[in-house]
Every structure is written in structure tokens, then in C-alpha cells.
Amino acid sequence: MSNIFDFAYKANNRNVALLRAHYAEGKYQGSGKGLLLVLLLVLLAIGGLFVWAAWTLGAALWHWGESVQW
């Protein structure tokens, strides 16, 4: 089990070193605002779908409850 964590730690250190070198060389471009905006819009769309589904299910259950003789 120790080997898995050791591998992950070493891989993470290599990735951080690569990112720092890439940034130090001036190859960094952009801020990621576009990606965050797209992610926010996707999450809002998914949230809207959940609200719509809950509303539709609630309405169907409400109508079913009215039609059933308790």
C-alpha cells in the first residue's frame, strides 16, 4: 500500500515542477475565466433540469393523489 502513495506523491511532485517551469518560461496564457463560465452555465442547466424534474414529478403525484380514493 505504501508504494501506491509513494507513486502518487512522486507523480504529484513532478507535475508541480512541470507546472512551475511552464509558468516561469512565460508560456502561461489566459486566466481560465471562460472555462469557469462554461462550468457555471452547465451546473445551472443541470440544476434547472433537477428543479423541472422535481416540479413535474410533484405535479404528477399531486394529480395522482387527487384521483385516488383514500
Side-chain angles (χ1 to χ4, degrees):
M1 200 60 142
S2 173
N3 291 337
I4 294 172
F5 295 115
D6 190 39
F7 172 76
Y9 180 76
K10 287 180 182 177
N12 187 45
N13 281 343
R14 282 193 300 263
N15 288 337
V16 169
L18 286 171
L19 285 171
R20 286 183 177 163
H22 180 74
Y23 187 75
E25 291 173 4
K27 294 182 179 178
Y28 171 75
Q29 297 176 1
S31 65
K33 289 181 183 177
L35 178 64
L36 290 177
L37 180 63
V38 168
L39 182 63
L40 179 66
L41 290 174
V42 167
L43 290 175
L44 284 173
I46 291 172
L49 285 173
F50 276 120
V51 169
W52 172 80
W55 185 270
T56 303
L57 180 62
L61 289 174
W62 183 269
H63 291 302
W64 176 78
E66 288 179 338
S67 67
V68 173
Q69 295 287 332
W70 293 97

